[in-house]
């Protein structure tokens, strides 16, 4: 887990979204992080310190002069303890105080004393958020290296609709992971990742598809972005997955030929391609213009072969590193090795999609890496995030040798 044993100080200020801090703290702990909360006095009007203490598993600091014996000079101890400092929700008031150098309570004092990266999630009325004073404060803090999550738009507690909602806790957690885990492993590199399944139309209402959820590819795109790369994610159909934080772009495609067109257009200038998408090898030769009506007992659809995107990339390869996948149900290593060679790849990730805990849909996979020199790295079952990070490490090592 990316946040395993990371120390997160969660600052909570006095806005209606303060109740969401409970969910943020809970999700952080589920991901292995240690959480300590600081609440402003106003925040305690919206959610109690007791709630946050129970959820975070740690004492909650509110007063500058409270007595939490384990914090030696409390605000300094917390400031030093943090691997990352998050303020969610952040009011216009706390943003203004930090920007103005004011340290007059536990939260503002501690944030001033920390050297950890600070992530601020503003949540307030639209007019307040768009007020030039607040915007100036945000820009000023950004210049000093404070990071912000843009608020979501929607219905606000004050009865209006507009920008100002605290983003969902999952999105805030994604940003925290991004801050804690990012490296420079692929800094300056352009990476294309394909994910999800392609769809080939049969008629206007039906298609040929597959079970790919996109999870493997999205995890790889996220890991590449965390490694500092400029990532283009080419996504087929997925289980409605959210775009990972930090991507340069996401391009959604339908058919294999759509995917090929997009991948080809970015290929010449890219450094690394990782093709985790499950691509249809065949399509209907003549998709019907109108819905095919039910009549005979059987229906025969003439099929025609799709272009093999990865094969084409392998044939045109210059400086690029190519990583392919092989989704097999038998002879996994044998078929994988054949694909590695035929498609001129630098690395192949073979997975037995019929094995329990591997392949489509789930959050885990069981993979074996194959390399052109014949070496093989067999891996245990692991989370797709963890596998993605290993794939990026191996691909970066290959790139470094080129
Ligand atoms: O999305 P998830 O639910 O998380 O599932 C993950 C996964 C099972 C889809 C993933 O781990 C995986 O195995 N992806 C590759 C699926 C696949 O199409 O395998 P393949 O053995 O048929 O193709 C070999 C390689 O050639 C793949 O990199 C594929 O993207 C590529 N290919 C295949 C056919 C084609 N016409 N063009 C291609 O580029």
């Amino acid at each position: 887990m990316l946040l395993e044993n990371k120390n997160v100080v969660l600052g909570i200020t006095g806005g209606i979204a303060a109740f969401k801090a409970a969910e943020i703290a809970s999700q952080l702990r589920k991901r292995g992080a240690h959480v300590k909360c600081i609440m402003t006095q106003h925040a305690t009007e919206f959610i109690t310190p007791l709630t946050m203490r129970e959820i975070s598993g740690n004492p909650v600091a509110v007063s500058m002069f409270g007595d939490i014996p384990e914090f030696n000079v409390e605000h300094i101890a917390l400031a030093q303890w943090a691997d990352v400092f998050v303020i969610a929700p952040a009011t216009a008031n706390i943003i203004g105080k930090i920007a103005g150098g004011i340290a007059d309570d536990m939260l503002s004092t501690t944030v001033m004393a920390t050297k950890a990266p600070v992530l601020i999630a503003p949540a307030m009325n639209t007019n307040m958020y768009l007020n030039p004073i607040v915007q100036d404060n945000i820009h000023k803090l950004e210049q000093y290296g404070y990071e912000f999550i843009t608020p979501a738009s929607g219905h606000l507690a004050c009865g209006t609709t507009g920008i100002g909602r605290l983003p969902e806790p999952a999105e805030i957690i994604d940003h925290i992971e991004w801050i804690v885990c990012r490296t420079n492993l692929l800094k300056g590199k352009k990476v294309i990742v394909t994910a999800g399944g392609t769809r080939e139309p049969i008629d206007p209402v039906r298609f040929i598809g597959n079970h790919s959820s996109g999870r493997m590819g999205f995890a790889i795109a996220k890991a590449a972005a965390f490694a500092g790369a400029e990532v283009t994610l080419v996504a087929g159909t997925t289980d409605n997955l959210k775009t990972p934080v930090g991507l340069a772009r996401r391009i959604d495609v339908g058919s294999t030929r759509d995917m090929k067109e997009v991948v080809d257009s970015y290929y010449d200038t890219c450094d690394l391609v990782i093709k985790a998408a499950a691509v249809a090898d065949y399509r209907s030769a003549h998709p019907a213009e109108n819905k095919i009506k039910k009549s005979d007992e059987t229906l025969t659809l003439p099929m025609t072969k799709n272009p093999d995107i990865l094969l084409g990339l392998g044939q045109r390869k210059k400086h690029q590193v190519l990583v392919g996948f092989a989704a097999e149900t038998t002879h996994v290593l044998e078929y994988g090795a054949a694909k590695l060679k035929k498609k001129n790849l630098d690395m192949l990730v073979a997975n037995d999609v019929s094995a329990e805990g591997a392949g489509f849909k789930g959050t885990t996979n069981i993979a074996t890496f194959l390399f052109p020199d014949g070496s093989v790295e067999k891996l245990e079952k692991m989370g797709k995030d963890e596998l993605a990070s290993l794939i990026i490490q191996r691909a970066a090592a290959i790139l470094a040798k080129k």
Side-chain angles (χ1 to χ4, degrees):
M1 285 190 289
L2 298 174
L3 292 176
E4 190 82 47
N5 284 326
K6 297 294 180 198
N7 294 338
V8 184
V9 170
L10 176 59
I12 307 161
T13 65
I16 189 71
F19 75 95
K20 287 192 186 171
E23 179 61 21
I24 297 170
S26 163
Q27 285 200 27
L28 283 168
R29 283 194 78 195
K30 278 188 198 139
R31 292 174 197 221
H34 307 295
V35 183
K36 290 183 180 173
C37 298
I38 305 175
M39 299 177 69
T40 61
Q41 204 64 53
H42 286 142
T44 65
E45 301 285 336
F46 293 91
I47 183 166
T48 69
L50 180 63
T51 304
M52 294 314 301
R53 188 185 79 190
E54 291 308 306
I55 291 173
S56 68
N58 276 309
V60 173
V62 180
S63 156
M64 273 298 281
F65 309 105
D67 188 18
I68 302 177
E70 69 197 70
F71 302 158
N72 183 18
V73 188
E74 219 176 318
H75 63 286
I76 302 297
L78 276 170
Q80 287 173 345
W81 178 83
D83 291 316
V84 58
F85 201 118
V86 183
I87 306 181
T91 55
N93 185 47
I94 189 73
I95 294 168
K97 275 205 229 179
I98 304 171
I102 296 169
D104 67 348
D105 64 4
M106 187 62 187
L107 181 57
S108 53
T109 314
T110 313
V111 78
M112 207 62 75
T114 194
K115 290 204 156 176
V118 178
L119 176 68
I120 300 177
M124 63 196 79
N125 161 273
T126 306
N127 292 342
M128 283 176 85
Y129 179 70
L130 296 177
N131 186 307
I133 300 171
V134 174
Q135 288 299 314
D136 277 355
N137 286 336
I138 291 174
H139 292 142
K140 179 175 174 185
L141 288 173
E142 280 176 336
Q143 278 165 10
Y144 284 123
Y146 291 78
E147 299 183 51
F148 282 80
I149 305 182
T150 307
S153 292
H155 183 74
L156 300 172
C158 52
T160 58
T161 300
I163 191 166
R165 282 168 67 89
L166 187 70
E168 287 311 307
E171 195 181 324
I172 293 172
I173 307 283
D174 282 352
H175 272 80
I176 298 171
E177 282 185 346
W178 155 260
I179 286 175
V180 170
C181 302
R182 64 194 165 189
T183 67
N184 285 331
L185 198 59
L186 289 177
K187 186 105 195 131
K189 302 293 181 197
K190 293 185 177 166
V191 178
I192 302 171
V193 180
T194 70
T198 57
R199 280 186 175 182
E200 303 297 342
I202 294 171
D203 67 15
V205 297
R206 304 178 180 96
F207 57 84
I208 298 163
N210 59 63
H211 294 295
S212 177
S213 65
R215 285 195 180 80
M216 191 66 249
F218 274 54
I220 295 168
K222 174 174 164 180
F226 279 21
E230 179 190 315
V231 180
T232 300
L233 172 62
V234 185
T237 50
T238 71
D239 282 2
N240 245 331
L241 300 186
K242 271 190 310 111
T243 307
V245 178
L247 300 193
R249 62 193 69 80
R250 167 182 173 168
I251 301 168
D252 290 325
V253 295
S255 69
T256 299
R257 285 176 299 167
D258 294 341
M259 181 173 278
K260 177 175 165 46
E261 196 181 322
V262 174
V263 171
D264 282 350
S265 70
Y266 284 93
Y267 185 53
D268 288 344
T269 55
C270 90
D271 302 287
L272 168 65
V273 183
I274 306 179
K275 283 218 76 258
V279 182
D281 290 318
Y282 290 89
R283 66 179 185 276
S284 165
H286 310 289
E289 245 172 63
N290 297 309
K291 185 180 172 192
I292 299 171
K293 301 307 284 178
K294 187 164 52 181
S295 54
D296 298 339
E297 283 307 308
T298 58
L299 171 70
T300 305
L301 284 174
M303 305 286 280
T304 190
K305 207 167 181 182
N306 264 330
D308 188 317
I309 307 168
L310 192 52
L311 181 73
L313 301 182
Q315 286 163 349
R316 293 197 282 131
K317 186 160 87 170
K318 290 188 184 124
H319 60 282
Q320 294 91 343
V321 166
L322 285 187
V323 179
F325 270 69
E328 307 293 350
T329 51
T330 59
H331 303 87
V332 179
L333 298 189
E334 190 189 321
Y335 292 157
K339 283 178 184 170
L340 175 80
K341 191 157 184 246
K342 183 177 173 200
K343 302 192 185 194
N344 190 21
L345 308 178
D346 299 277
M347 173 176 166
L348 183 122
V349 182
N351 48 187
D352 178 348
V353 290
S354 62
E356 181 73 34
F360 296 112
K361 293 281 175 202
T363 55
T364 60
N365 204 352
I366 307 167
T368 303
F369 297 160
L370 308 180
F371 300 94
D373 64 1
S375 58
V376 170
E377 187 178 352
K378 214 167 176 0
L379 302 165
E380 299 297 315
K381 179 163 107 173
M382 60 179 74
K384 284 181 176 171
D385 271 339
E386 206 183 333
L387 177 60
S389 154
L390 280 180
I391 292 169
I392 291 301
Q393 285 172 37
R394 300 295 176 275
I398 299 169
L399 258 171
K401 282 193 207 138
K402 282 232 167 190

